[in-house]
Amino acid sequence: MASRGDLKDNGAMTKEASARRPSASHWGAFDAEVRNGRVVALRPAAEDPQPSPLVQSQLDALYADNRVSRPMVRAGWLEAGPGGRRERRGAEPFVAVSWDKALELVAGELARVKSRHGNAAIYGGSYGWASAGWFHQANFQLHRFLNCFGGFTAKTDSYSYAAGMVLMPYVLGSKDLVAGRSHAWDAMLGNTRLMVMFGGLPLKNTQVDFGGTLAHTTADWLRRIKAEGTEFVGITPHRGDLPDFLAADWLAPRPNSDTALMLALAHTLLVGGLHDRAFLDRHCIGFARFADYLTGKTDGVVKDCAWAAAITGLGAADIAALARRMAMGRTLITVTWSLQRADHGEQPYWAAIALAAMLGQIGQPGGGIGFGHACEGGIGLPRERVANPRLPIGDNPTGSSIPVARIADMLLHPGQSYRYDGRTHRYPDIRLVYWSGGNPFHHHQDLNRLVAAWRRPETVIVHDPWWTAAARHADIVLPATTGLERNDIAASSRDPFVLAVHQAIAPVGQARNDHHIFAALADRLGFGRGFTEGLDEMGWLRRLYGELRASAERKQVAMPEFDRFWAEGKVAIPAPDEPFVALADFRRDPERNRLPTPTGKIELFSDTIAGFAEPDCPGHPAWLEPVEWLGSPVAARYPLHLISGQPRHRLHGQLDIGSASLAAKVAGREPIQINPQDAAARGIRDGDVVRVFNDRGATLAGAVVSDAVMPRVAYLTVGATYDPLEPGRPGSLDKHGSANLLTLDKGASNLSQGPIAHSCLVEIEPYRQPAPRVTAFEAPATRN
């Protein structure tokens, strides 16, 4: 394939003055209305009962002033070579260069680093929701390219649920239940008597799904479940996590204290004889040792309701009443991903499994345990399990990787040892960071620390459609296309539709598809044929769809041939004959359907984890005090617990420049919710610009006084574009409400090393000075 294949039409665009093209995104399916080569409107799919307003925000972003219009190189790097003035990353102007020059520089840097330092010195950091389409997934493209080049240092796990993913194979034998293979909604209809929602069921998160969706139906399913008689209890510091129509009972414990609450519920079941001894004996291992911990035989501390009341702030009688209520009938315990993004984040997941096991309803329709319900739109939807199309990335010859949230540690401490998943590892010495898709300056914690770490590599290369914080802190920036500028196939492993993504317009400015950029680089580096396999964009889509169709046929699911699918724009994946119930086969016959744990059973005590001898993750669920929470000494100086939840008006940091996100700003900044008691004590009123700060940094946000957040808790959604007052300087005041200026960059434990964004204490005060202008959406200074 020619390296300039990105300029080809591929038959996707016609010359008529007006047309509609079917497409899809993380926010839903839609038609793009095109007039004279320009997208003028995005029309949500007619089948969608609750279309997301974020669909329209894509149009705002498509033509935004901060699009990267052509290849750019940071002035200091261009003038002084690799490593040149790297302390000025984020502050220096950029120099426009031609595509040929940019590709020459990138290929030369890759060859230099490989020759002098080896492939493990390249960090392929692509991470994030870059595309709902599976061919143009930026991280797949980057990782395929780097594997063809000889390998790289990769990441493992996910910021969304790293602690849960590492823990779950030891307890349930698989990561699937954490990653969304959870109880289907139709299994709950008429079966679930009580749903206890740790972290709530935040409907705002159901407006997005990793692989796209045709229709947003979670709210409809919940209404049907409630109409069948299910009662709901929501356990969260933020009432906004509970849909109003559920009329859920709201319990608001101190953040990070859920494990203590679960242990007290388990203790109440134990001493009251309300636990299912037969299920525990046949399906579980280690209950006796867990029971010894609950009763205090292990450590002298009885984990009863009075003990938990002192930790959680809830009433002991309320905790006991909830335990008895859970034991009265079919109960489903749901746990959001957010609970494990905290210090010792493995523990609430493990404790929730133990609690569900004691109730004895795991594997029954509408009972047991579920993770991530309402954390994405597709979780819980009935759908036959057919594999998604997936660009093959090949094997990484280096075998080098780090836990996903340990980027700053890796850059700051090359060669340092660390513990992860029962083994000792060492951080590689990274000389080149290559980032395509995602934005580390959105999803990583303690951004001031990251800014300092980001100065260490000799070269940083970024593909991006916009001047995000990642692009601003790069040395070489290559303009990438958006989903509206390319063809693809969108599909979620949970949503019951596969969707055709038709290119709506030619690339804006000089943007190119990631695939075409990597194909051109592969040509220069001598493995062009190996990377493309002789296929162009549409050739790859035909191949990936063919593999999907073959996988479906093995499940007795019929799918049309590619041309019909492409013309019709979608194909349905049917629901299974029976509602999906997690662990149903194991419950029915645990001897014939053993779990892939060391014992084949649910491990309430894990000899394997105990054998790792990690002081911050023992062999059974336990209450371990977080490094920062309202019961810690730090609270004397920083008395508010900051929850940085996902926004309803964008996806993570994506579409922050869109109309939905901009309309949600307060005083031009990210809104922060604060309880009326806390606001009054600080002289804060609705709409004030406030300074939110701790020892790690400070940011300016717009105050929203609301009783939806419990006292001593503040709620600042994550993803506001990082906008430092003094670009490139660690410690600079952020002007725009970036939550990760404040969050702590520490692993959840030596087991998982997961992120702990929700273990964070802050103080808030009115900002009495003239508030600086927000410049987050302006392009940096450039010169030709």
Side-chain angles (χ1 to χ4, degrees):
M1 186 183 74
S3 62
R4 293 184 61 79
D6 53 295
L7 303 181
K8 293 161 61 177
D9 191 302
N10 283 329
M13 294 176 294
T14 57
K15 304 303 181 183
E16 69 263 31
S18 180
R20 284 197 176 190
R21 309 197 189 284
S23 193
S25 67
H26 306 308
W27 308 282
F30 58 92
D31 285 342
E33 185 175 336
V34 181
R35 294 178 189 166
N36 300 317
R38 187 177 178 89
V39 180
V40 296
L42 303 178
R43 312 291 184 187
E47 300 91 335
D48 194 345
Q50 294 177 316
S52 170
L54 299 181
V55 167
Q56 188 62 32
S57 283
Q58 295 175 99
L59 182 54
D60 307 323
L62 179 65
Y63 298 115
D65 291 340
N66 70 342
R67 283 290 302 255
V68 182
S69 61
R70 56 189 298 187
M72 295 284 183
V73 183
R74 183 173 61 84
W77 190 96
L78 190 62
E79 293 163 5
R85 298 203 297 264
R86 50 188 160 179
E87 75 283 356
R88 296 288 294 157
R89 283 193 184 117
E92 281 197 322
F94 286 82
V95 179
V97 299
S98 68
W99 265 109
D100 283 343
K101 178 65 174 178
L103 294 170
E104 173 191 327
L105 292 173
V106 172
E109 265 305 274
L110 288 165
R112 180 188 71 83
V113 172
K114 177 176 181 174
S115 174
R116 294 187 185 180
H117 307 288
N119 283 80
I122 302 169
Y123 182 60
S126 177
Y127 176 84
W129 291 36
S131 169
W134 284 92
F135 175 63
H136 286 294
Q137 275 290 329
N139 58 335
F140 293 173
Q141 292 286 345
L142 174 63
H143 295 166
R144 176 180 174 86
F145 168 77
L146 291 176
N147 283 337
C148 289
F149 185 57
F152 64 107
T153 290
K155 60 88 180 171
T156 58
D157 308 324
S158 162
Y159 275 90
S160 294
Y161 36 66
M165 286 183 77
V166 178
L167 171 74
M168 206 55 64
Y170 298 104
V171 180
L172 292 180
S174 171
K175 302 176 181 180
D176 284 359
L177 194 60
V178 172
R181 184 64 173 163
S182 210
H183 241 63
W185 296 119
D186 56 347
M188 304 174 203
L189 283 170
N191 292 315
T192 303
R193 181 182 183 277
L194 177 67
M195 188 181 298
V196 179
M197 308 171 292
F198 285 91
L201 283 175
L203 284 182
K204 59 183 173 56
N205 293 1
T206 67
Q207 289 289 290
V208 300
D209 196 87
F210 182 79
T213 185
L214 180 70
H216 299 91
T217 60
T218 302
D220 291 343
W221 278 108
L222 286 172
R223 286 188 170 93
R224 291 176 62 188
I225 292 167
K226 179 175 175 56
E228 293 284 341
T230 299
E231 298 177 350
F232 298 84
V233 175
I235 301 170
T236 171
H238 188 241
R239 194 177 58 219
D241 292 331
L242 306 175
D244 290 342
F245 61 81
L246 294 183
D249 296 330
W250 180 30
L251 298 180
R254 291 171 175 163
N256 290 193
S257 69
D258 299 84
T259 300
L261 173 58
M262 293 173 187
L263 294 174
L265 293 169
H267 178 270
T268 303
L269 297 178
L270 176 65
V271 299
L274 301 175
H275 56 301
D276 189 327
R277 296 175 185 270
F279 182 86
L280 292 166
D281 288 343
R282 190 179 184 204
H283 294 82
C284 303
I285 197 79
F287 176 68
R289 298 186 70 171
F290 177 58
D292 285 346
Y293 176 71
L294 293 178
T295 59
K297 185 176 180 179
T298 302
D299 59 2
V301 179
V302 180
K303 314 307 182 300
D304 60 12
C305 294
W307 167 83
I311 295 171
T312 65
L314 299 176
D318 293 332
I319 298 172
L322 176 59
R324 291 190 291 270
R325 187 178 177 189
M326 293 171 72
M328 288 174 62
R330 189 67 57 84
T331 295
L332 178 65
I333 299 169
T334 67
V335 189
T336 58
W337 293 340
S338 59
L339 257 68
Q340 53 83 67
R341 290 197 297 272
D343 201 20
H344 313 301
E346 302 86 1
Q347 302 310 314
Y349 270 34
W350 205 349
I353 293 167
L355 181 58
M358 292 179 69
L359 291 170
Q361 299 168 8
I362 291 175
Q364 289 186 333
I369 185 73
F371 297 97
H373 282 101
C375 288
E376 284 185 29
I379 296 176
L381 293 184
R383 180 198 135 144
E384 187 65 60
R385 198 174 192 190
V386 174
N388 279 331
R390 187 183 181 98
L391 179 72
I393 65 172
D395 296 325
N396 185 349
T398 70
S400 178
S401 66
I402 64 164
V404 64
R406 303 274 57 84
I407 300 169
D409 285 352
M410 173 186 69
L411 296 177
L412 289 168
H413 306 296
Q416 178 174 293
S417 65
Y418 65 97
R419 294 281 294 170
Y420 168 68
D421 202 10
R423 297 176 58 193
T424 299
H425 305 260
R426 290 192 180 276
Y427 291 119
D429 186 2
I430 298 300
R431 303 303 181 100
L432 185 151
V433 172
Y434 205 137
W435 211 283
S436 175
N439 177 3
F441 289 84
H442 148 64
H443 59 244
H444 196 67
Q445 279 69 67
D446 194 350
L447 290 188
N448 282 318
R449 187 169 187 259
L450 182 64
V451 169
W454 212 249
R455 294 175 169 183
R456 297 301 182 93
E458 296 164 354
T459 299
V460 177
I461 302 165
V462 168
H463 297 191
D464 213 313
W466 301 280
W467 282 109
T468 62
R472 290 171 181 267
H473 287 81
D475 299 314
I476 302 173
V477 183
L478 303 181
T481 56
T482 70
L484 288 163
E485 299 159 273
R486 56 200 183 210
N487 299 294
D488 216 326
I489 298 171
S492 166
S493 59
R494 302 175 289 260
D495 190 78
F497 286 91
V498 179
L499 304 169
V501 178
H502 287 233
Q503 182 179 352
I505 59 169
V508 172
Q510 295 186 20
R512 296 186 180 183
N513 296 339
D514 296 301
H515 178 75
H516 299 129
I517 296 171
F518 289 128
L521 290 170
D523 280 345
R524 282 172 164 77
L525 293 166
F527 55 91
R529 185 76 180 184
F531 176 74
T532 67
E533 298 188 31
L535 299 174
D536 63 7
E537 180 186 67
M538 293 305 293
W540 273 109
L541 295 187
R542 288 181 178 276
R543 171 174 158 177
L544 296 180
Y545 182 82
E547 293 170 355
L548 168 64
R549 190 182 182 203
S551 171
E553 287 177 354
R554 289 192 289 272
K555 295 273 190 175
Q556 286 76 52
V557 174
M559 296 182 68
E561 46 78 31
F562 178 81
D563 288 333
R564 179 180 164 192
F565 157 70
W566 195 251
E568 293 180 353
K570 61 181 180 291
V571 60
I573 304 294
D577 293 336
E578 297 292 331
F580 175 75
V581 177
L583 303 175
D585 291 341
F586 169 70
R587 179 189 183 86
R588 185 165 46 250
D589 191 335
E591 284 75 34
R592 296 186 63 181
N593 301 298
R594 290 168 57 88
L595 298 178
T597 60
T599 61
K601 296 185 176 184
I602 298 171
E603 300 212 358
L604 303 184
F605 184 95
S606 168
D607 284 323
T608 304
I609 292 179
F612 294 156
E614 304 291 4
D616 52 6
C617 190
H620 58 78
W623 163 251
L624 302 170
E625 188 171 343
V627 63
E628 286 188 19
W629 71 298
L630 292 176
S632 66
V634 183
R637 288 190 299 135
Y638 300 113
L640 299 175
H641 195 121
L642 182 73
I643 298 297
S644 47
Q646 294 298 330
R648 68 176 66 250
H649 39 274
R650 59 176 177 270
L651 167 59
H652 306 320
Q654 292 185 48
L655 301 183
D656 195 20
I657 198 171
S659 54
S661 185
L662 293 178
K665 304 290 182 183
V666 173
R669 291 153 230 278
E670 194 67 11
I672 184 167
Q673 292 185 29
I674 182 171
N675 185 272
Q677 296 177 30
D678 300 315
R682 291 162 175 79
I684 294 171
R685 298 175 299 177
D686 249 345
D688 282 353
V689 175
V690 294
R691 178 175 175 261
V692 190
F693 63 98
N694 58 22
D695 289 340
R696 291 179 289 276
T699 187
L700 300 183
V704 176
V705 179
S706 171
D707 62 4
V709 62
M710 63 180 283
R712 298 195 66 192
V713 171
Y715 187 85
L716 176 65
T717 50
V718 74
T721 302
Y722 173 51
D723 190 20
L725 186 63
E726 300 175 71
R729 185 181 73 81
S732 174
L733 173 71
D734 173 68
K735 300 178 290 183
H736 189 221
S738 176
N740 277 333
L741 258 292
L742 308 162
T743 52
L744 180 62
D745 186 16
K746 171 190 172 297
S749 76
N750 283 339
L751 180 72
S752 72
Q753 296 291 351
I756 64 166
H758 293 307
S759 295
C760 177
L761 296 179
V762 301
E763 180 58 287
I764 304 177
E765 64 184 13
Y767 191 70
R768 302 301 187 190
Q769 306 172 45
R773 185 172 61 90
V774 172
T775 56
F777 307 117
E778 298 177 7
T782 59
R783 64 175 190 251
N784 293 322

